């Protein structure tokens, strides 16, 4: 009775371990994580993502290293029945503790495998080559049969147990160097425009159109490069690569140079004339001289006509609010302000 219970316990344990599945989620990218190693007690599984092709497709290679020094790892390409297994070379049979009904057990195949693959102890073999695209999750189910040779002739193999490894491999293609350069150029352009004012003042040189020309040319050049990349890859509008580059193109289209228009502040009018070097006292004396000249002239109208341009210049020089030499002093007032006004008005009355 005890022997039967012990055998039953061993059988149940073997059955459970035989069909135990292990799931692994792996994320591979083309930047710093193109490879991954899955470490198991009896083997290592190596995953490696290839460089992306022009159409954006990639391949993930799956290799297996047998760490068990006494057993063989077997992967099958088809669902073989027991009768067929026995006829193989080497002949393959199930161990007595292997789960399932004797004579009715069927091998689970590894999808994508072209031939039966035996991985000897301490050996490393390539198992699969999985095609994929950016953003896809590749599901790879690998039924691994652990076996041992029966006898020294190595003509027979006993299947001891089955381990099923399920890999969920997410493939991500990060932006390539071309995109990074284009995006960097866009960032630099936006940064430069943040401190740029396109001056609308008519005095400004170069003109408003000429100021904008190099920026328009740069935007058009970047957009042309983007179109060339999309055409070269022959992407559809639904492809991730197309969306990535098209989004950058839309950001370039959204740059509004007109929003950066304004006056640069370098063309503000400031009074400047030949009398700016004179003090208010000196201006008064010159106006007084002109007054005396007109007053003592026999033809006051003619005398006034000869000096009136200078009189107006002298008066404007000290009364113009933009005159750096006199504006502040004029605002304060003083005796010469009233004298200048008096002389100017008297000259005008002649």
């Amino acid at each position: 009775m005890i022997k039967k219970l012990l055998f039953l316990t061993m059988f149940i344990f073997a059955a459970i371990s035989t069909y135990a599945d292990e799931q692994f989620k792996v994320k591979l990218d083309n930047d710093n994580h193109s490879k991954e190693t899955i470490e198991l007690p009896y083997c290592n599984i190596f995953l490696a993502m290839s460089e992306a092709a022009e159409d954006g497709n990639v391949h993930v290679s799956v290799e297996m290293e047998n760490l068990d020094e006494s057993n063989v790892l077997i992967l099958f390409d088809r669902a073989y029945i027991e009768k067929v297994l026995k006829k193989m070379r080497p002949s393959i049979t199930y161990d007595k503790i292997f789960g399932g009904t004797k004579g009715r057990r069927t091998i689970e195949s590894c999808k994508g495998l072209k031939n039966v693959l035996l991985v000897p102890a301490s050996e490393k073999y390539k198992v699969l080559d999985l095609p994929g695209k950016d953003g896809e999750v590749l599901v790879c189910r690998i039924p691994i049969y652990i076996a041992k040779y029966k006898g020294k002739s190595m003509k027979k193999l006993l299947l001891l147990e089955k381990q099923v490894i399920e890999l969920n491999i997410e493939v991500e293609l990060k932006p390539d160097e071309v995109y990074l350069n284009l995006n960097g150029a866009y960032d630099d352009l936006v940064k430069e425009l943040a401190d740029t004012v396109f001056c609308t003042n008519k005095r400004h040189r170069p003109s408003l159109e000429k100021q904008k020309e190099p920026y328009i040319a740069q935007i058009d050049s970047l957009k042309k490069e983007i179109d060339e990349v999309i055409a070269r890859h022959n992407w559809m509008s639904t492809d991730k690569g197309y969306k990535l580059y098209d989004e950058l193109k839309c950001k370039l289209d959204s740059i509004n140079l007109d929003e950066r228009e304004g006056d640069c502040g370098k063309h503000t009018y400031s009074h400047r004339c030949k009398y700016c070097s004179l003090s208010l006292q000196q201006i008064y004396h010159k106006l007084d001289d002109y007054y005396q000249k007109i007053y003592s002239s026999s033809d006051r109208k003619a005398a006034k006509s000869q000096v009136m341009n200078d009189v107006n210049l002298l008066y404007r020089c000290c009364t113009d609010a933009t005159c750096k030499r006199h504006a502040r002093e004029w605002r304060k007032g003083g005796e010469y302000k009233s004298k200048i006004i008096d002389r100017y008005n008297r000259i005008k009355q002649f």
Side-chain angles (χ1 to χ4, degrees):
M1 184 64 180
I2 294 175
K3 288 183 178 180
K4 288 182 178 180
L5 288 173
L6 182 60
F7 178 79
L8 182 61
T9 302
M10 291 175 63
F11 179 81
I12 293 173
F13 175 77
I16 293 173
S17 63
T18 299
Y19 298 100
D21 291 6
E22 287 191 81
Q23 291 185 336
F24 297 90
K25 292 184 178 181
V26 179
K27 188 171 184 178
L28 300 178
D29 61 55
N30 58 335
D31 188 13
N32 296 318
H33 197 183
S34 62
K35 297 181 179 180
E36 179 79 20
T37 301
I38 298 170
E39 297 179 349
L40 300 168
Y42 52 92
C43 74
N44 286 328
I45 297 176
F46 302 97
L47 305 175
M49 189 177 83
S50 67
E51 291 186 8
E54 284 292 316
D55 58 4
N57 291 332
V58 297
H59 288 267
V60 177
S61 68
V62 182
E63 294 184 326
M64 182 180 295
E65 180 184 22
N66 185 358
L67 301 178
D68 196 327
E69 295 183 358
S70 57
N71 294 326
V72 178
L73 303 181
I74 308 177
L75 281 75
F76 294 92
D77 60 327
R78 298 202 304 271
Y80 294 100
I81 60 175
E82 292 188 47
K83 288 182 180 180
V84 177
L85 289 175
K86 289 180 180 179
K87 295 179 182 179
M88 289 183 175
R89 293 292 179 268
S91 176
I92 301 174
T93 57
Y94 289 93
D95 188 72
K96 59 183 178 181
I97 64 170
F98 198 97
T101 303
K102 186 177 180 180
R104 297 183 180 179
R105 292 168 291 198
T106 303
I107 289 294
E108 181 181 356
S109 65
C110 180
K111 186 178 179 180
L113 204 64
K114 295 182 179 179
N115 300 292
V116 177
L117 179 65
L118 273 67
V119 184
S122 304
E123 292 291 334
K124 178 181 177 182
Y125 284 22
K126 184 173 182 178
V127 178
L128 296 168
D129 190 38
L130 307 173
K133 287 186 176 182
D134 181 33
E136 283 187 345
V137 176
L138 309 178
V139 179
C140 177
R141 182 178 172 87
I142 308 177
I144 303 172
Y145 288 84
I146 301 175
K148 68 175 181 179
Y149 283 104
K150 184 178 180 180
K152 295 182 179 180
S153 63
M154 300 183 70
K155 293 181 179 181
K156 292 183 178 182
L157 279 169
L158 286 176
L159 299 180
L160 304 176
E161 62 176 298
K162 169 188 171 185
Q163 295 287 342
V164 178
I165 306 301
E166 186 172 297
L167 305 176
N168 293 286
I169 309 168
E170 182 180 350
V171 176
E172 180 185 10
L173 292 180
K174 294 189 176 181
D176 56 19
E177 187 175 354
V178 175
Y179 175 83
L180 294 176
N181 289 338
L182 288 170
N183 192 62
Y186 164 78
D187 289 339
D188 291 342
L189 176 60
V190 171
K191 186 177 179 181
E192 183 178 349
L193 284 171
D195 299 322
T196 300
V197 175
F198 298 112
C199 187
T200 56
N201 195 300
K202 293 181 180 180
R203 297 189 183 93
H204 191 97
R205 294 292 179 270
S207 66
L208 181 62
E209 291 73 19
K210 290 291 184 180
Q211 294 173 58
K212 291 181 179 180
E213 272 184 10
Y215 296 96
I216 294 173
Q218 188 175 354
I219 292 171
D220 289 342
S221 176
L222 291 173
K223 287 165 61 177
K224 183 180 178 181
E225 286 188 62
I226 290 171
D227 289 337
E228 290 174 351
V229 172
I230 292 175
R232 186 165 63 248
H233 286 85
N234 198 28
W235 283 322
M236 302 293 289
S237 60
T238 54
D239 291 333
K240 182 179 178 180
Y242 179 95
K243 292 178 180 178
L244 186 67
Y245 279 86
D246 188 60
E247 181 183 354
L248 180 56
K249 186 178 179 182
C250 288
K251 289 197 292 184
L252 286 164
D253 284 331
S254 69
I255 295 176
N256 189 348
L257 299 183
D258 294 345
E259 292 179 349
R260 304 302 308 163
E261 291 183 4
D263 197 306
C264 67
K266 298 178 181 179
H267 310 290
T268 303
Y269 172 77
S270 179
H271 171 84
R272 183 178 297 176
C273 72
K274 60 183 180 179
Y275 296 125
C276 286
S277 61
L278 301 182
S279 68
L280 290 183
Q281 182 182 5
Q282 289 171 317
I283 288 177
Y284 165 71
H285 285 306
K286 284 191 73 67
L287 287 173
D288 186 59
D289 289 342
Y290 286 136
Y291 173 78
Q292 297 300 334
K293 181 179 180 181
I294 299 170
Y295 182 81
S296 60
S297 174
S298 59
D299 188 352
R300 291 180 177 177
K301 187 176 180 179
K304 176 182 176 181
S305 176
Q306 290 177 357
V307 301
M308 200 59 200
N309 284 338
D310 263 6
V311 168
N312 287 328
L313 282 175
L314 285 163
Y315 188 73
R316 190 181 303 123
C317 184
C318 53
T319 58
D320 196 319
T322 65
C323 182
K324 296 180 179 179
R325 177 70 171 83
H326 303 116
R328 186 175 180 183
E329 187 178 356
W330 188 264
R331 286 194 299 270
K332 289 180 179 180
E335 62 172 314
Y336 286 106
K337 177 177 179 179
S338 60
K339 287 182 177 182
I340 289 172
I341 295 173
D342 178 74
R343 281 293 175 265
Y344 179 70
N345 288 332
R346 285 177 180 272
I347 292 173
K348 285 176 64 179
Q349 289 173 2
F350 283 122

